[in-house]
Amino acid sequence: ARTSVVTGSASGIGKATRELLELRGERVIGVDVHDAEVVADLSDAAGRTALVEGVRRLSGGRIDAVYAVAGLAAPTPATVAVNFFGTLATLEGLRSLLSGSRAPRAVLVSSMAALLPSDEDLVALLGICDEPAALARAEILAKEPETTGALIYASTKLALSRWVRRQAATPQWAGAGIPLNAVAPGIIATPMTAELIATEQGREALLKMVPMPLNGIAESAVVAKLLAWLGGEENTHVCGQIVYVDGGSDVVLRGDSV
Ligand code: NAD
């Protein structure tokens, strides 16, 4: 049976992914700040080390897939630390444990929010992986939560999507036989969005920003199934793709650009 690591496994999309993989007979090592096999806070260096050490210990040194799902949507610097640097630490930190697998796979969760307005300076700092400078920039953006603060989340997701494009074909990933891909969900009903979509008014406002003509707001399991395919044995040649699972928001916003 495959052994998969799922970060953010205690809630929402990560929880649904863990449940689906377990239903398929896989062993899952969950990582989260609570209710997980490996309890680790991915926002700082100590937590990122604890993640790698915990997974190494529990897996015996060999894993088959990494699903980097953990994330925050708050207009705060912590969102930069977890979404971008926590995700990179997960994938880069666990990559060597994938080398013993017959079918190693890596997937991260970006967002259709990568298509929404972002902060150019923050995206540039993430592009060069300068965490102290990126956190300092986010600190400034966070001072106006409603306006500039809202750019933080989109910036982290745009930077993640670009990171996948830059990394996927390198010797470390494709060259090592590891497909690296991302999913980019639209609005998914999870604790992250619960408050926003609780009222008709809230749903309408959000769907105006994130139009989902195909079937509207989705359940976590919809994203989990795509993640499980990208991270499963069947995926031998999908490489460096950002797969939108968004009810059409990407098509509406970007039209025929491919
Ligand atoms: P969620 O809040 O239900 O789950 C996120 C999980 O990540 C939680 O269990 C949380 O404890 C964990 N987490 C947060 N900070 C952490 C930290 N410092 N260290 C370790 N774990 C931490 O949210 P969700 O909607 O399931 O989101 C999962 C992923 O999907 C996120 O990356 C999010 O950005 C992305 N996403 C969500 C939506 C949506 O509409 N819900 C849309 C697009 C992308």
Side-chain angles (χ1 to χ4, degrees), residues 61-250:
R62 200 214 78 204
I63 59 174
D64 298 289
V66 180
Y67 298 89
V69 186
L72 292 174
T76 61
T79 294
V80 170
V82 178
N83 293 15
F84 189 78
F85 295 102
T87 295
L88 263 60
T90 300
L91 293 166
E92 290 177 336
L94 297 177
R95 191 175 50 214
S96 67
L97 302 184
L98 286 168
S99 63
S101 173
R102 278 188 307 111
R105 307 283 183 262
V107 201
L108 66 79
V109 178
S110 183
S111 171
M112 69 66 60
L115 306 176
L116 300 177
S118 55
D119 180 68
E120 217 176 288
D121 292 348
L122 178 53
V123 174
L125 292 167
L126 296 175
I128 55 168
C129 293
D130 186 338
E131 186 163 11
L135 291 176
R137 177 66 192 157
E139 207 55 82
I140 294 169
L141 296 171
K143 287 193 177 129
E144 304 286 344
E146 302 278 324
T147 53
T148 54
L151 303 175
I152 295 175
Y153 180 76
S155 303
T156 65
K157 295 301 187 178
L158 176 58
L160 276 181
S161 291
R162 287 191 178 158
W163 184 81
V164 168
R165 299 293 295 175
R166 292 195 188 114
Q167 290 290 319
T170 62
Q172 290 80 11
W173 297 101
I178 310 170
L180 170 67
N181 293 282
V183 303
I187 307 165
I188 313 300
T190 71
M192 183 180 276
T193 53
E195 221 174 290
L196 290 169
I197 64 177
T199 64
E200 184 64 39
Q201 204 184 9
R203 277 196 298 278
E204 267 171 31
L206 201 56
L207 284 166
K208 216 168 178 175
M209 203 164 62
V210 184
M212 298 178 73
L214 179 69
N215 293 329
I217 296 172
E219 296 299 322
S220 295
V222 169
V223 183
K225 282 182 242 183
L226 177 60
L227 278 168
W229 190 85
L230 288 167
E233 286 188 43
E234 277 188 88
N235 176 19
T236 55
H237 285 76
V238 178
C239 176
Q241 296 303 305
I242 315 302
V243 186
Y244 285 81
V245 49
D246 63 349
S249 60
D250 167 47

